Amino acid sequence: MPELTAIPENAIDPDAAYERWVASYLWHVDQLPNVVQASGTVAMAPRMIRAQQLREKVSGGGYVDNMLVVDGPESRNAAAVWQALRGYLTVAASRLGVEAPLLPGVLPDDVELARLWAYSANEWLAAVVYDILDWPDLTARQDELFRLIRRARTRLDAGTVRRARPELCDTCGEHAVIVDWVDGPDGGAALTKACRMCGETYAQ
């Protein structure tokens, strides 16, 4: 008996791979405001504590703002997400010929302001998703940005933003099947699909 092999999704539905890419793209950009806020909050906390300690110790002639504060891992992660987002917006705008939000050069100290900038980027990216083509330089930047988003969301438990309504579960009959993209064994995004009510998982 010949060995059965899986039929590629593209062979059944030529548009399936593209629609999945769009869904993954929108899922990632929808996480930006929460990820930026969570990353920024964690990153700024040690700075604020350190600044307060310095204020208590420094008297006359000293300026806290001019004193170096050592950044921790979360601060570097927050900066990495921010810089990756800025770089992606710049290249995407150049490729599309459409002006993109011009984010500040560094992650704002005001976390709420950073979140508002992230919302601006989220809205712009969601609006142009169907105009994006397979440009190698943009794809490379996208992969890096999305990897950083997934990592930050996992490390900080930033929660998940859902654009689409949960799907119907074949097992329990509830609209509770949700889709997430997580880091796969090759470092890329792997699709997971499970019912949050009964726990049924669906192979992809």
Side-chain angles (χ1 to χ4, degrees):
M1 182 175 179
E3 182 181 351
L4 296 177
T5 57
I7 300 174
E9 188 176 35
N10 291 5
I12 301 173
D13 182 357
D15 296 326
Y18 179 68
E19 290 304 322
R20 178 172 291 193
W21 175 83
V22 170
S24 173
Y25 188 99
L26 293 175
W27 184 92
H28 282 88
V29 301
D30 282 348
Q31 310 316 311
L32 274 169
N34 278 2
V35 164
V36 165
Q37 182 177 35
S39 299
T41 299
V42 172
M44 288 308 300
R47 295 186 189 181
M48 289 185 286
I49 292 172
R50 178 66 173 154
Q52 180 60 38
Q53 292 172 341
L54 287 172
R55 288 190 185 95
E56 294 172 356
K57 294 179 180 178
V58 176
S59 60
Y63 295 92
V64 173
D65 290 344
N66 292 335
M67 296 185 179
L68 296 177
V69 177
V70 177
D71 289 333
E74 297 310 332
S75 181
R76 291 192 292 272
N77 288 339
V81 171
W82 192 258
Q83 292 306 322
L85 176 59
R86 290 186 75 245
Y88 183 84
L89 289 172
T90 299
V91 175
S94 175
R95 286 292 193 178
L96 294 167
V98 180
E99 186 175 352
L102 184 59
L103 273 59
V106 295
L107 180 68
D109 287 347
D110 184 330
V111 176
E112 190 56 37
L113 178 60
R115 182 179 172 86
L116 291 175
W117 275 113
Y119 266 120
S120 178
N122 162 243
E123 291 172 359
W124 188 87
L125 292 168
V128 303
V129 61
Y130 287 104
D131 298 318
I132 293 174
L133 301 179
D134 187 17
W135 295 303
D137 56 343
L138 190 62
T139 299
R141 288 180 178 274
Q142 173 198 300
D143 291 346
E144 175 63 6
L145 172 61
F146 288 2
R147 183 186 67 81
L148 291 170
I149 289 172
R150 291 193 303 273
R151 184 178 70 176
R153 175 180 164 273
T154 300
R155 287 172 59 92
L156 300 169
D157 192 22
T160 303
V161 177
R162 302 286 176 193
R163 180 178 292 259
R165 183 170 181 260
E167 299 173 10
L168 180 68
C169 178
D170 296 333
T171 301
C172 69
E174 297 289 337
H175 281 89
V177 177
I178 57 176
V179 174
D180 281 320
W181 274 264
V182 298
D183 284 330
D186 61 351
L191 180 65
T192 66
K193 192 173 182 180
C195 179
R196 61 186 175 187
M197 294 298 292
C198 70
E200 179 68 46
T201 58
Y202 294 82
Q204 296 297 314

